[in-house]
């Protein structure tokens, strides 16, 4: 599959009561050069005028409302609405630097399927991480790398980018599914979304490049991060995604066995029909995902001279 050397970039910004931060963040994203194709603000029923602020600060911004609750659902809604070739995940709190977006895009153009931001490689860093969180992140990295054969240095960082054509491979919950009647969230709708994505790109054998990133302190408001509770959630996510990866592998093997059984000697291979799960649908020209055997992670250390 041919990918553009000059891709259109869609930036997805999930929000919930981030009006004051958007006054700073949106103009900064819009000022990035080369210019991004679109900025999609996905609102989670804010009560502080987030939507109105976004439209006032940046009249051409695309604003949508998420269909259920949770950061994962907001992300999935944004992914589905994106029309660019590359999708960038960007937090609204001001902790991420928009000037790093071109580095993520360069990593993708250079051959990566998924560009993973990292605060713990040369050129990265954080103004907003405690020793406890850093130690916990290192432990979770070790678990993830052991389970998925990866070499992640920063599992729990949400600044990432990927080619839009890999979206079907991620199999996120369809945005038009109803919310559970018991008030709980569908798997993948919550804060586990970042770990889910990291696990699924690895399980799919995609090429992953880590990009150095500098995390700043939140500009306004308080973080929703809960060190122990969120760390436990990540561990549960890793275990669940490992089980899912093993199950998917077994299903693929079964399909191959059935295909061989159905194919006459010397004939064209016959593949038994599969029953795919509902996946996020894009707004325009969905493309088939490309599976690559083996997970490869390399480090984008230096920016090219512009």
């Amino acid at each position: 599959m041919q990918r553009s050397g000059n891709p259109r970039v869609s930036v997805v910004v999930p929000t919930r009561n981030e009006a004051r931060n958007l006054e700073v963040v949106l103009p900064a994203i819009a000022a990035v050069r080369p210019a991004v194709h679109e900025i999609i603000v996905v609102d989670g029923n804010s009560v502080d005028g987030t939507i109105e602020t976004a439209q006032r600060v940046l009249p051409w911004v695309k604003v949508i409302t998420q269909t259920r609750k949770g950061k994962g659902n907001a992300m999935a809604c944004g992914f589905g609405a994106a029309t660019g070739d590359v999708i960038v995940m960007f937090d609204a709190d001001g902790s991420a630097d928009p000037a790093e977006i071109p580095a993520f895009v360069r990593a993708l153009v250079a051959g990566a399927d998924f560009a993973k931001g990292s605060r713990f490689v040369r050129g990265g860093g954080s103004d907003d991480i405690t020793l406890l969180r850093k130690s916990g992140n290192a432990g979770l990295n070790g678990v993830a790398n052991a389970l998925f054969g990866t070499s992640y240095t920063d599992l729990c960082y949400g600044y990432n980018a990927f080619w839009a054509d890999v979206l079907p491979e991620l199999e996120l919950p369809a945005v038009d599914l109803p919310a559970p009647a018991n008030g709980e969230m569908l798997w993948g709708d919550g804060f586990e979304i970042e770990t889910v994505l990291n696990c699924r790109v690895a399980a799919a054998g995609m090429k992953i490049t880590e990009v150095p990133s500098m995390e700043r302190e939140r500009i306004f408001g308080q973080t929703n991060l809960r060190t122990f509770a969120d760390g436990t959630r990540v561990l549960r996510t890793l275990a669940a995604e490992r089980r899912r990866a093993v199950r998917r592998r077994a299903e693929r093997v079964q399909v191959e066995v059935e295909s061989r059984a159905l194919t006459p000697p010397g004939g064209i291979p016959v593949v038994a029909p599969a029953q795919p799960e509902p996946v996020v649908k894009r707004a325009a020209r969905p493309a088939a995902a490309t599976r690559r055997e083996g997970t490869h992670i390399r480090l984008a250390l230096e920016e090219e001279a512009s």
Side-chain angles (χ1 to χ4, degrees):
M1 175 176 40
Q2 187 67 34
R3 288 170 170 169
S4 172
N6 185 29
R8 298 175 303 164
V9 178
S10 298
V11 182
V12 176
V13 186
T15 62
R16 191 168 191 274
N17 297 326
E18 298 283 7
R20 295 180 70 191
N21 288 323
L22 289 185
E23 291 183 336
V24 179
V25 170
L26 291 183
I29 299 175
V32 170
R33 294 295 179 270
V36 301
H37 167 62
E38 63 186 353
I39 303 173
I40 304 170
V41 170
V42 188
D43 189 58
N45 299 308
S46 296
V47 296
D48 68 341
T50 288
I51 291 178
E52 294 77 11
T53 298
Q55 293 171 331
R56 170 178 56 80
V57 170
L58 200 65
W60 54 270
V61 71
K62 181 185 294 186
V63 179
I64 62 176
T65 301
Q66 66 181 98
T67 56
R68 296 185 295 275
K69 64 181 181 179
K71 183 177 182 179
N73 172 250
M75 283 294 189
C77 289
F79 298 164
T83 60
D85 306 300
V86 163
I87 297 175
V88 177
M89 302 163 56
F90 199 93
D91 285 343
D93 60 8
S95 60
D97 184 356
E100 295 175 356
I101 290 176
F104 283 85
V105 176
R106 282 197 299 274
L108 295 173
V109 171
D113 299 301
F114 190 83
K116 174 86 183 76
S118 175
R119 298 163 292 182
F120 304 122
V121 294
R122 184 163 63 89
S126 177
D127 294 333
D128 191 38
I129 191 168
T130 63
L131 179 60
L132 176 62
R133 286 173 52 204
K134 186 175 182 179
S135 300
N137 190 55
L140 294 170
N141 282 333
V143 174
N145 293 336
L147 292 177
F148 292 94
T150 51
S151 301
Y152 287 132
T153 63
D154 198 356
L155 179 72
C156 302
Y157 192 46
Y159 197 175
N160 306 300
F162 57 90
W163 288 101
D165 58 40
V166 309
L167 187 58
E169 194 81 36
L170 302 178
E171 293 188 342
L172 299 178
V175 297
D176 54 358
L177 289 175
N182 60 6
E184 296 183 357
M185 288 185 286
L186 296 176
W187 181 249
D189 272 2
F191 276 103
E192 70 274 4
I193 180 62
E194 287 146 7
T195 304
V196 166
L197 292 177
N198 293 330
C199 292
R200 293 188 181 180
V201 297
M206 297 184 195
K207 185 175 181 181
I208 305 163
T209 295
E210 288 197 329
V211 178
S213 181
M214 185 68 197
E215 180 187 39
R216 305 299 183 186
E217 292 184 356
R218 164 183 278 272
I219 302 174
F220 298 108
Q222 299 295 320
T223 180
N224 292 318
L225 180 66
R226 301 168 301 167
T227 301
F228 292 103
D230 290 339
T232 301
R233 180 196 291 267
V234 171
L235 278 175
R236 290 173 47 223
T237 301
L238 290 172
E241 288 298 314
R242 172 61 179 174
R243 291 193 296 270
R244 178 185 181 276
V246 170
R247 185 173 64 252
R248 285 288 190 276
R249 189 178 303 118
E251 290 171 353
R252 289 196 296 271
V253 170
Q254 182 62 30
V255 168
E256 292 173 0
V257 170
E258 293 176 355
S259 174
R260 287 195 294 269
L262 292 171
T263 302
I268 299 174
V270 177
V271 179
Q275 298 297 324
E277 294 181 355
V279 298
V280 174
K281 298 177 181 178
R282 297 193 68 222
R285 40 178 206 85
T290 300
R291 181 181 300 276
R292 291 169 173 79
E293 292 301 326
T295 299
H296 307 282
I297 300 180
R298 65 182 179 81
L299 177 62
L301 291 176
E302 298 178 356
E303 296 185 359
E304 299 173 359
S306 57

